[in-house]
Amino acid sequence: MGKLIAAMNMTLDGFCDHTAGIADDELHRHYSALLSSAGTLLYGRITYQLMEYWPTVVKNPSGNQSTDEFAVIMDRSPKVVFSRTLKTVDWQSARIATRSLEEEVSALRQQSDDDILLGSPSLIVAATELKIIDQYQLCVHPVIAGKGLPLFKNISDMTFLKLVKTKTFGSGAIVLYYEPIKK
């Protein structure tokens, strides 16, 4: 059975801000590999709409190989969007969730042994509360934003994690791989 992986870029002071990270070639290659190994990406509406940028890069490549390859992988990766307001999605590889997060994850796990990626702060919080995340991959960028959306906003229960691996990038960003400690 594949893992449910919470993958998020964040600043050193704990904020999720896609404009504050260092999106260089090395980081794009890292996320291309992660997306390639996953079966499905789960997004909330806001993150999904931010990601709708990538089909424009597929249609009009940037000329940067790692960026363009990431765009192609992102474009073709299956996506499930959790939204109360969206009724349709234009991206061919996306669909609106018709079940709860827990039910959707359970169904995806039954369909495939591929990993499932959570890529939205709200879904990471919800899945943390449900205690269904198998691994957190937090890419911490060497940036202090000072404000923004905190990743673990409104968590009600303490969760203990075990650091299982790290990956350091030339930019100074570091991915921290954590697994929940089952009690």
Side-chain angles (χ1 to χ4, degrees):
M1 177 176 5
K3 293 179 187 174
L4 179 61
I5 299 172
M8 184 58 55
N9 285 292
M10 58 194 300
T11 61
L12 186 61
D13 51 348
F15 294 112
C16 304
D17 182 345
H18 74 283
T19 64
I22 302 163
D24 60 9
D25 291 347
E26 190 178 21
L27 192 71
H28 277 119
R29 286 191 300 272
H30 167 78
Y31 279 108
S32 290
L34 181 62
L35 292 176
S36 293
S37 70
T40 306
L41 314 175
L42 305 182
Y43 288 131
R45 178 191 57 81
I46 294 170
T47 305
Y48 169 76
Q49 289 177 320
L50 289 170
M51 294 298 145
E52 283 184 312
Y53 162 77
W54 292 107
T56 65
V57 177
V58 172
K59 290 177 186 162
N60 299 299
S62 69
N64 178 287
Q65 183 180 358
S66 64
T67 300
D68 295 344
E69 286 174 2
F70 176 82
V72 169
I73 293 167
M74 174 59 79
D75 188 52
R76 73 173 180 231
S77 296
K79 293 164 234 14
V80 178
V81 183
F82 291 82
S83 175
R84 292 182 200 98
T85 56
L86 288 179
K87 301 301 175 211
T88 62
V89 288
D90 294 330
W91 212 339
Q92 282 188 321
S93 58
R95 68 176 174 82
I96 301 284
T98 56
R99 301 175 269 220
S100 71
L101 177 60
E102 191 169 24
E103 292 168 334
E104 194 68 54
V105 168
S106 179
L108 289 168
R109 283 182 163 163
Q110 290 174 14
Q111 293 169 11
S112 171
D113 288 334
D114 291 334
D115 291 338
I116 303 162
L117 298 181
L118 285 168
S120 291
S122 61
L123 294 181
I124 291 172
V125 167
T128 297
E129 293 282 75
L130 291 168
K131 299 193 182 315
I132 59 173
I133 295 176
D134 298 303
Q135 186 176 76
Y136 293 85
Q137 293 185 19
L138 306 177
C139 184
V140 180
H141 292 264
V143 174
I144 298 171
K147 61 181 178 180
L149 174 66
L151 178 54
F152 295 108
K153 183 178 180 181
N154 299 324
I155 294 289
S156 61
D157 290 330
M158 191 178 299
T159 301
F160 291 92
L161 305 171
K162 175 184 176 188
L163 181 66
V164 295
K165 180 177 152 184
T166 62
K167 180 177 182 179
T168 305
F169 296 95
S171 66
I174 185 168
V175 179
L176 304 166
Y177 297 78
Y178 288 104
E179 292 177 356
I181 297 172
K182 308 289 183 191
K183 293 194 172 209

